[in-house]
Amino acid sequence: GAAAHDHAGPAVVLSYIIASLTSMITGLCYTEFAVEVPVAGSAYNYVSMTFGEFAGFLCGCNLALELTISAAAVARGWTSYVATMFHAPPNALRVPAGVISLDFPAALLIAAIISLLIYGMKETARFNTAITVISLAAVGFVIVVGGLAVEPDNWQPFAPQGATGVLAGASIVFFSFVGFDTVATCAEETKNPGRDLPIGIMGSLGVCAVLYALMCLVITGMVPSPEIDVDAPFALAFRDRGMGWAESIISFGAVAALITALLSSLMGQPRVYMVMGRDGLLPAWFARVHPTLGTPVNATAFTGVTTAILAMVVDTEILAQIVSVGTLAIFGSVCAGLLARRHTPEDGTGRAPALRRLVALSASCLVFSTAFGFSHGGGRKRGEVSRVTDADTDAGGTGATAMCCIGLVGVMISTLSFNWLPRHNAPKNGFTTPFVPYLPALGVMATIQLITSLGYLAWARFVVY
């Protein structure tokens, strides 16, 4: 809702396509790592084995950011849809407390799911299957019934803020694709990693990309983008079009869908804590596994407490921005890690040539992305006054374009330079990321571009976290 309302307008469908393509590129890198190293921990392990323990620790903290905060954002959205299911305003179940609104239902939902996850994976899987069927039925209902109510005039103007708005929207919605990271996080529990992980990671991304794109076209075709509700967009869109009877159906489906998303995030995060506890980067208390249930009880309980607190007090849009920065940073690190691993000897020595090229690649991407953002006036919200005046544009437009060109040339040269290094660590377990070094380098560039599109406030929140 926020991406279409504040930034991209009807072009939010392009935002989702850009976010999904970026996720698919990084998903290929994730898959190679996950198949070669099928243990719990996902990106934490991949970065540790490539860049060292300290880099892995930072990545583990970032994973905590990604999974915990995405779960909190989903839980707050769940509360909004529970309210609309009973034809109440989205904020009806929240308690105003000064500048914030306390979301007790979201905290209670998290407590219930954490209890289920502690009890066991088999029970969780059965519950998740049932809820997923309900979710897919609701998505089909929205696409079919909502598609009949689309008015093409609502798609004009298609991209009110141009490329900058589309990229800002892609940055915000990127956290919608964090689910495949959970598949990699649970790699240790798969029976056939070489077959199951590629299907799970790439298959989930493909299905989600198609469904997200169709739903974007429906919501922006039903309601003019400035009128889209940020908290419960689909339910209120049907109500406003005179289909109040459908509001409860959609809200019920959304409640189910958000439960599955919440379950995914809350299942992955404790396993990251568990692996970091095993490695000594967190207290051993986090690595403790229940002798009967076979689940990381302590890490799961800690995840539940921290997520519930965030869900209860922090606004959804702020959570989405923070988790998008963290997710993009992790995905970019995995793409960079694959480049380093493929060009570093098996014994870990002689890493410097690959690292120098990675620094040059990242710096070139940053120059390009920053100059691109400046030349397009930054990713402000709809209705905000641009910080870039006409005089600034005339004076700096040529310079920004020149910097874009310099950055792009730097990206091309640094990427091509990897071909001058010998290849190492060829995959042995059945999956190989194609077009190395070009595809991982494109992943690094795409993630840095989306990070810069989020703006200074999101960066500041990320640094404070």
Side-chain angles (χ1 to χ4, degrees), residues 296-321:
V297 177
N298 294 344
T300 303
F302 180 80
T303 297
V305 172
T306 54
T307 306
I309 292 172
L310 283 172
M312 192 163 59
V313 301
V314 184
D315 178 74
T316 303
E317 184 176 0
I318 294 174
L319 290 170
Q321 287 186 349

Side-chain angles (χ1 to χ4, degrees), residues 220-259:
T220 55
M222 291 180 66
V223 182
S225 54
E227 300 174 15
I228 292 176
D229 184 80
V230 174
D231 294 312
F234 287 97
L236 297 187
F238 275 79
R239 179 200 295 177
D240 294 342
R241 293 302 304 272
M243 291 184 281
W245 57 272
E247 182 182 359
S248 295
I249 297 175
I250 295 167
S251 295
F252 181 72
V255 164
L258 292 173
I259 288 176

